[in-house]
Amino acid sequence: MKICIFGAGAIGGYLAVELALAGNDVCVIARGAHLDAIRKNGLTLLINGQEKNARIPASDNPADFGPQDYVICALKAHQSYESAAQFAPLLGPDTAMVTAMNGIPWWYFYKEGGKFEGRHLESVDAGARQWNLIGPERAIGCVVDPACEVIAPGIIEHHEFNRFILGEPDGSESDRVKTLSEIMKAAHFDAPIRNAIRWNVWLKLWGNVCFNPISALTHATLDQITSGALREICKKAIYETKAVTEALNVFIPEEMIERRLNVAGKAIGHKMSMLQDLERHRSMEIDALVTAVQELGRLTDVPTPTVDILLALVQERGRQAGLY
């Protein structure tokens, strides 16, 4: 099976090594020093006390590889938007695009079945660029649970979890999503298929909508964010996001709020990705995690005052740092 990992960073690199060692025909799109290291030494994965290495074809030019069976996009949402035209050489008639990214996906209203069917979101896909250049019919949803880090060029460290939740936008168990799930399971991933992938997207976003901006604004770690006064701010933002979720006919039990906060609080000392990006002077992923909630709130006439405040503050923080 031909699989291209577009964005072989922390999550993409983890996927690439395990999929390649399981016997798949894997290539990766990377850049800079990371690309140079992969070309020279392969990709190295540090996991469960082991060191795994895979020699994987790597390039910054997708035209080097041609059409694939699956393209797994492991870029951040705004990077995926910026790179939309670059996917073309990888896309054959039946190529599936697996969106292994955080936040509201650009294909959200494709075969969603509600009154906003076919609508694109300006916050994550301005001008419907990805919708038109990639095509929502290619999309397979993917909610990413693993925590990984690029600790040096060409070297990925896996911290915890191995689950990638998969789902078709229309909720079907298509042959292509079943095949992908089996491929991933054979590569030591937990890859369940869900018939309501948007439920899982929203559950993860309930945390990201507040944890990430608060981390960038305060430099607090996840255990600090989910305790005291910051926890109360999180709850306000999550309740607003829950109201937006329900306005879009996705219903997640209220008890999941406390559970989400409590589980997050166990990650002692963990820095959220938005804070990591700020500290490392990398572009900040704000829109898919926070702006999209505001846009969907306005679309459904649901007020989001706490989310609005967090968004305005973190956008300005990003602008001041030259990262947004």
Side-chain angles (χ1 to χ4, degrees):
M1 194 63 65
K2 297 188 69 174
I3 303 171
C4 180
I5 311 295
F6 202 114
I11 295 301
Y14 173 39
L15 283 163
V17 172
E18 296 285 36
L19 287 168
L21 293 180
N24 296 286
D25 182 359
V26 176
C27 62
V28 299
I29 304 297
R31 62 185 181 183
H34 193 53
L35 172 59
D36 293 339
I38 297 169
R39 283 173 164 166
K40 182 178 180 181
N41 302 312
L43 256 175
T44 297
L45 173 65
L46 307 179
I47 183 169
N48 298 327
Q50 302 178 61
E51 180 176 309
K52 300 182 177 183
N53 181 269
R55 294 281 178 167
I56 301 172
S59 178
D60 56 4
N61 182 6
D64 288 343
F65 301 125
Q68 306 288 306
D69 295 303
Y70 296 94
V71 175
I72 301 178
C73 180
L75 298 170
K76 292 180 180 176
H78 60 283
Q79 295 169 333
S80 175
Y81 173 79
E82 293 163 0
S83 302
Q86 298 176 37
F87 289 98
L90 302 169
L91 304 178
D94 300 314
T95 304
M97 172 71 70
V98 184
T99 53
M101 300 178 290
N102 284 325
I104 298 296
W106 56 267
W107 50 261
Y108 187 89
F109 286 119
Y110 175 70
K111 294 194 174 180
E112 182 261 350
K115 63 181 179 180
F116 302 114
E117 175 67 41
R119 186 186 185 99
H120 78 274
L121 294 169
E122 282 294 306
S123 54
V124 294
D125 194 26
R129 185 179 184 185
Q130 294 172 96
W131 191 286
N132 292 327
L133 290 175
I134 298 170
E137 70 280 358
R138 296 187 185 276
I140 294 177
C142 179
V143 177
V144 177
D145 282 352
C148 302
E149 183 181 2
V150 178
I151 61 171
I155 303 176
I156 311 297
E157 184 172 37
H158 173 268
H159 296 302
E160 57 184 345
F161 310 128
N162 72 333
R163 186 170 65 171
F164 293 84
I165 303 171
L166 306 173
E168 288 280 5
D170 65 359
S172 65
E173 286 205 17
S174 65
D175 288 341
R176 67 179 190 173
V177 77
K178 287 190 289 187
T179 298
L180 178 62
S181 177
E182 291 306 314
I183 289 169
M184 293 184 72
K185 289 174 182 176
H188 311 295
F189 298 114
D190 180 15
I193 300 169
R194 298 288 185 258
N195 61 9
I197 190 66
R198 293 173 185 81
W199 191 99
N200 299 93
V201 167
W202 278 109
L203 180 60
K204 185 168 187 183
L205 187 57
W206 280 12
N208 278 328
V209 72
C210 51
F211 300 161
N212 266 292
I214 290 173
S215 73
L217 293 167
T218 66
H219 288 229
T221 56
L222 193 48
D223 52 305
Q224 296 167 331
I225 292 168
T226 53
S227 61
L230 293 179
R231 183 184 180 97
E232 294 308 307
I233 295 173
C234 286
K235 288 173 70 173
K236 289 180 182 295
I238 293 173
Y239 271 108
E240 292 172 10
T241 305
K242 179 176 183 291
V244 175
T245 306
E246 292 177 352
L248 293 168
N249 295 312
V250 177
F251 298 93
I252 302 173
E254 185 172 348
E255 58 264 28
M256 295 298 290
I257 295 176
E258 291 294 334
R259 187 181 304 176
R260 187 82 174 82
L261 291 166
N262 292 339
V263 170
K266 294 177 182 179
I268 307 299
H270 177 69
K271 293 183 180 181
M272 295 300 295
S273 61
M274 203 177 285
L275 174 56
Q276 292 182 38
D277 288 342
L278 179 64
E279 291 181 339
R280 297 174 185 179
H281 207 72
R282 299 184 303 210
S283 60
M284 293 168 65
E285 187 176 32
I286 295 173
D287 292 331
L289 304 183
V290 192
T291 314
V293 175
Q294 181 188 73
E295 181 179 357
L296 288 166
R298 291 174 176 174
L299 186 64
T300 56
D301 295 320
V302 174
T304 55
T306 308
V307 172
D308 294 347
I309 291 170
L310 289 175
L311 176 59
L313 291 172
V314 79
Q315 284 177 328
E316 185 58 28
R317 184 68 188 91
R319 292 189 193 103
Q320 292 290 339
L323 303 176
Y324 176 75

